[in-house]
Amino acid sequence: MKGLHLAGIYKDFGSVRAVENIKLDFAEGELTALLGPSGCGKTTLLRMIAGLEMPSGGSILLGEDNITALAAHKRRFGMVFQNFALFPHLSVRENVVYSLVIAGTSKSDAIDTGERLLDLVQLSGYGDRRIGELSGGQRQRVAIARALAQEPEVFLLDEPMSALDAKLREDMQVELRLLQQRLGITTIVVTHDQREAMTMADKIVVMSQGRVEQVGPPQQIYHRPENAFVADFIGKANFFDGVVEAGKVRVGQSLLELKTPAEFISGSPVQIACRPETPYLDSDGIAGSRLKASVTFVRDVGPVRDIHLQTEIGPMIVEYARGETERSFTVGQETIVTLPVEGLHVFPRNERAAA
Ligand code: ATP
């Protein structure tokens, strides 16, 4: 297995720059998720890595080798697409070993490899079935087995779960991740689903409008978003507009205490983001900004309740975990919400909003 390195690749379609100057490393054996809203350039980036799309500039290195101009079929990259692209007239086994047979592998070797791969994706005994006789999840496993048949150096998946229903999708995410870890294969998954990215990835690349917004492990992206786009796109957040005032931030009549980075000088317009699970309701002894609030709506979704509030600084949603307390909240109730210093993220206000 080898790592991949993208050195400033970009792609223009006519006058549209679909992907802008991407510099990224995909470490050997790691699973990286390319995550972003529709049209942000994820698929175009994956297709360039696969050799299906020629970059307009920049280069792609596999280990030490520059593969930018290498044809797709010479890259030994396994690919799984959204629709799986299986051959309906062939059996499951024939689908899996198709590429090996085309490459001249003997029939008995191909059958052995086919059985081993079907076993790997938990489809032993399904080799003689037609594709039409399989469920969506089983088809996806066939597509994965087929992609692994050539012992690829890099495994590329474009929205591999999108044809599956929600429950199966979650199961397959775990299954695929365990398989990838067992094989230790460098893998890149395109997805617009942040839960999918967070479930599977060692590293997430958040993209928007052809650019990389942030790269890091899932928890770092969630807890330390580098800009308002990432804070908004990954997880949920309450946003407030404010102005820096002597190390604090003024929002309306209130002064919020937070860790203001040194570059924010007094008078800078900023945007504050606060994850819904970070504020406290009616809790004494918590360091932070205390705001008067009243309950406007309670959304009870089982393990957590979303308490909608009208606060001194505007509307806010606070997620209240069921285990914390059984206390009740009713519409119109007055409360005090505390925003802990550590729970507030501050960004310059001129940034683009989430797409
Ligand atoms: P989705 O999640 O909807 O598949 P994406 O993030 O994968 O979106 P891309 O398919 O890479 O986005 O598209 C990025 C941009 O490039 C879009 O503005 C798209 O319209 C444009 N684009 C993609 N392929 C082509 C093409 N062959 N010709 C012209 N424009 C294209």
Side-chain angles (χ1 to χ4, degrees), residues 13 16 18 36-45 53 82 159 190 192:
F13 291 113
V16 175
S38 183
C40 72
K42 312 178 288 290
T43 296
T44 303
L45 183 58
E53 201 78 71
Q82 282 180 31
E159 301 273 5
V190 160
H192 64 270

Side-chain angles (χ1 to χ4, degrees), residues 45-90:
L45 183 58
L46 194 80
R47 287 173 57 80
M48 288 194 285
I49 294 169
L52 299 171
E53 201 78 71
M54 186 66 186
S56 305
S59 38
I60 304 174
L61 303 175
L62 178 65
E64 301 288 302
D65 305 326
N66 188 331
I67 59 163
T68 318
L70 192 67
H73 66 278
K74 293 192 174 159
R75 292 192 187 196
R76 282 193 48 214
F77 287 4
M79 287 206 71
V80 175
F81 299 96
Q82 282 180 31
N83 55 6
F84 313 148
L86 297 169
F87 302 117
H89 58 288
L90 298 183

Side-chain angles (χ1 to χ4, degrees), residues 29-231:
E30 263 190 8
L31 191 150
T32 305
L34 303 180
L35 175 67
S38 183
C40 72
K42 312 178 288 290
T43 296
T44 303
L45 183 58
L46 194 80
R47 287 173 57 80
M48 288 194 285
I49 294 169
L52 299 171
E53 201 78 71
M54 186 66 186
S56 305
S59 38
I60 304 174
L61 303 175
L62 178 65
E64 301 288 302
D65 305 326
N66 188 331
I67 59 163
T68 318
L70 192 67
H73 66 278
K74 293 192 174 159
R75 292 192 187 196
R76 282 193 48 214
F77 287 4
M79 287 206 71
V80 175
F81 299 96
Q82 282 180 31
N83 55 6
F84 313 148
L86 297 169
F87 302 117
H89 58 288
L90 298 183
S91 70
V92 165
R93 183 182 302 103
E94 286 164 343
N95 263 281
V96 171
V97 300
Y98 178 79
S99 60
L100 300 182
V101 173
I102 294 290
T105 304
S106 75
K107 198 171 174 199
S108 65
D109 282 355
I111 288 175
D112 287 350
T113 305
E115 286 313 311
R116 183 175 54 77
L117 288 168
L118 287 175
D119 191 34
L120 193 68
V121 297
Q122 297 171 26
L123 281 181
S124 301
Y126 285 78
D128 294 323
R129 286 219 196 172
R130 299 271 138 191
I131 296 301
E133 295 167 349
L134 300 180
S135 71
Q138 289 166 338
R139 286 177 205 202
Q140 201 228 26
R141 286 187 206 148
V142 176
I144 291 170
R146 184 181 60 178
L148 294 174
Q150 297 183 85
E151 298 181 3
E153 291 185 289
V154 178
F155 195 24
L156 305 173
L157 302 102
D158 189 356
E159 301 273 5
M161 317 287 176
S162 60
L164 309 179
D165 67 47
K167 174 76 179 72
L168 184 56
R169 194 154 63 214
E170 297 214 336
D171 293 346
M172 287 303 297
Q173 287 162 4
V174 175
E175 210 172 282
L176 184 57
R177 171 59 163 164
L178 292 173
L179 178 65
Q180 182 270 334
Q181 283 178 318
R182 211 159 66 232
L183 299 174
I185 182 166
T186 310
T187 301
I188 306 173
V189 180
V190 160
T191 180
H192 64 270
D193 177 349
Q194 52 150 313
R195 264 179 77 88
E196 185 162 296
M198 295 191 80
T199 303
M200 296 171 64
D202 294 295
K203 196 169 77 183
I204 296 178
V205 176
V206 184
M207 294 179 65
S208 126
Q209 298 178 19
R211 282 185 286 259
V212 171
E213 296 284 350
Q214 190 171 349
V215 181
Q219 291 306 312
Q220 184 181 320
I221 298 262
Y222 183 83
H223 291 292
R224 277 180 279 141
E226 284 172 6
N227 57 44
F229 176 84
V230 176

